[in-house]
Amino acid sequence: MSAGEYVLHGLKLSYFTGKLEAYLRVKGVPHRFVGMDMADFRACARATGIAQMPQLETPDGGWLTDTTAILRRFEDEGAGPRLRPTDPAAGFLSLLLEDAFDEWLWRPALYYRWAFVEDARLMSRQIARTMLRDVPGPLWLRDRVIRARQRREFLARDGITPLTSPAIERLYPEVLAVLEAILASRPFLFGDRPCEADFGLFGPMFRHFFSDPTPGAILRETSPAVLAWTTRLWGTRPADLDGAADLGEAPADLDPLLALVARDHLPELAAHLEATLAGRPEARFQACGVDWRVSVSPYRAGCLLSLRQDFQALPEAARVAVRKRLGPAAAILEGTIPQLPARKSGRPLNRHLRA
């Protein structure tokens, strides 16, 4: 590792790796990319205690995990171009959208990758050639194993059924239409420079919706401004933001997007928190107009508690502004902040391999 250089461990087809890589590029953070194989994945897990990707090795030999926490750390340190709104309410809404894009759009991103034959075959073969390249056995067998694993984890365990899959196929064009109206009017979600919300959106957009055959075709046909935003963010460097005004209040045309988050994402987080505290294996909620039963995610429960902490720490005027933008769903942010039960065994608290 060169002096002052970070090392990003991940995969070039990974949702969260793409999000973090884009942030490091825009922020101007010197870094080197290491494509994970299983040996590197296990070595990173031993170093951090968390089996996930990406993982970021610091110049002093430390480690950073969880892309949301990494972005927050860099923004708090203040180096490089400012990528956070200055207005407190807007800053919170950016964090809320970043969380929603991470967790809410994760479902359609993984659905389109693994539910469609062409997409699944393409991506399982890529994972077999890259991350599983050091696993003994023929390529066809590695390919078949990873495809079965991903479909089990990201379809069956995530509530995808013949009743819920049409809702996902309605949600993706609905989100694209809302984003198209926003991004046709300005370079980034909140203004002339990106913020946490943009990088959260970039995760599902670049490495899934933009790159995978089925959602990519829909994106190209219906949403040219979103397509242009994707390549714009990937190509942005610190010098490109010289002279760009800092981000202030959240623009009014974000309200349709916030309404979708209030409709789907916040109730799901509340369901995961309730199920986690009750020790239930499933979270049950309504989103996209249908009822869902999914494996409980303590991570998503923790996401809601983090958002509650951020919301409740806002000045009163900012809380009033956020309540106005979110409507009745803002009450979910007003709740208590309990201690989550300690994880006994099994699946890690943090995100898994999401590719």
Side-chain angles (χ1 to χ4, degrees):
M1 185 187 304
S2 303
E5 181 185 63
Y6 288 77
V7 179
L8 174 60
H9 299 258
L11 284 184
K12 286 292 186 178
L13 51 76
S14 158
Y15 189 121
F16 290 105
T17 304
K19 170 190 173 183
L20 182 54
E21 190 173 9
Y23 178 81
L24 297 175
R25 287 160 62 102
V26 177
K27 195 71 170 176
V29 177
H31 66 281
R32 173 170 58 89
F33 180 83
V34 172
M36 280 183 167
D37 57 16
M38 287 306 298
D40 187 62
F41 185 70
R42 287 190 290 265
C44 290
R46 286 194 299 270
T48 64
I50 300 173
Q52 65 177 29
M53 74 165 65
Q55 305 222 29
L56 190 64
E57 192 175 356
T58 67
D60 61 2
W63 290 84
L64 302 175
T65 64
D66 192 311
T67 55
T68 295
I70 293 170
L71 267 61
R72 184 186 292 258
R73 172 172 170 157
F74 277 107
E75 288 306 305
D76 287 346
E77 290 175 350
R82 182 183 176 93
L83 304 177
R84 176 182 289 165
T86 57
D87 175 73
F92 174 80
L93 292 174
S94 175
L95 292 174
L96 173 62
L97 287 172
E98 189 248 6
D99 184 79
F101 296 142
D102 275 1
E103 303 299 325
W104 169 53
L105 290 191
W106 169 86
R107 184 169 290 119
L110 274 291
Y111 169 78
Y112 277 99
R113 175 161 290 186
W114 299 112
F116 292 82
V117 172
E118 179 183 2
D119 303 67
R121 286 178 175 171
L122 175 65
M123 304 315 296
S124 63
R125 181 57 62 96
Q126 289 193 31
I127 294 174
R129 289 184 183 277
T130 55
M131 187 167 186
L132 301 188
R133 63 186 181 270
D134 59 340
V135 174
L139 179 63
W140 68 265
L141 181 58
R142 286 178 275 148
D143 182 355
R144 182 174 297 179
V145 167
I146 196 65
R147 195 182 318 156
R149 185 264 182 195
Q150 302 297 79
R151 284 175 162 168
R152 181 181 66 251
E153 291 293 315
F154 302 131
L155 299 181
R157 289 184 62 90
D158 205 36
I160 301 300
T161 70
L163 295 177
T164 59
S165 57
I168 293 296
E169 293 181 32
R170 292 191 300 269
L171 175 64
Y172 176 48
E174 183 179 24
V175 171
L176 285 181
V178 171
L179 291 171
E180 182 71 9
I182 295 167
L183 294 170
S185 66
R186 55 182 175 273
F188 301 105
L189 288 173
F190 280 57
D192 291 335
R193 61 176 63 215
C195 60
E196 291 102 334
D198 289 273
F199 296 104
L201 179 60
F202 194 77
M205 193 60 63
F206 184 48
R207 292 281 163 79
H208 285 252
F209 299 140
F210 178 89
S211 300
D212 293 0
T214 299
I218 297 170
L219 175 63
R220 289 189 297 274
E221 290 297 321
T222 66
S223 308
V226 182
L227 188 71
W229 166 89
T230 307
T231 57
R232 181 184 307 120
L233 184 59
W234 183 244
T236 298
R237 297 294 181 273
D240 300 320
L241 300 178
D242 289 346
D246 281 345
L247 302 174
E249 295 182 357
D253 62 1
L254 291 174
D255 283 350
L257 184 58
L258 294 171
L260 293 179
V261 171
R263 182 193 74 185
D264 293 346
H265 181 56
L266 286 174
E268 177 174 356
L269 292 187
H272 282 286
L273 177 59
E274 180 183 359
T276 298
L277 293 174
R280 294 196 297 268
E282 287 185 332
R284 301 183 183 187
F285 55 94
Q286 187 173 83
C288 311
V290 297
D291 294 325
W292 291 82
R293 296 174 59 177
V294 306
S295 297
V296 67
S297 170
Y299 182 86
R300 288 181 179 155
C303 288
L304 178 55
L305 297 184
S306 179
L307 288 170
R308 282 181 178 176
Q309 289 176 330
D310 289 333
F311 174 76
Q312 293 172 25
L314 290 173
E316 176 58 25
R319 293 199 299 273
V320 170
V322 170
R323 291 187 194 105
K324 183 177 180 181
R325 303 294 289 268
L326 295 179
I332 295 172
L333 301 170
E334 307 272 10
T336 60
I337 306 174
Q339 182 72 34
L340 292 180
R343 187 176 61 89
K344 295 179 180 179
S345 62
R347 300 165 67 82
L349 175 64
N350 291 68
R351 297 185 178 99
H352 300 259
L353 163 62
R354 293 190 181 178

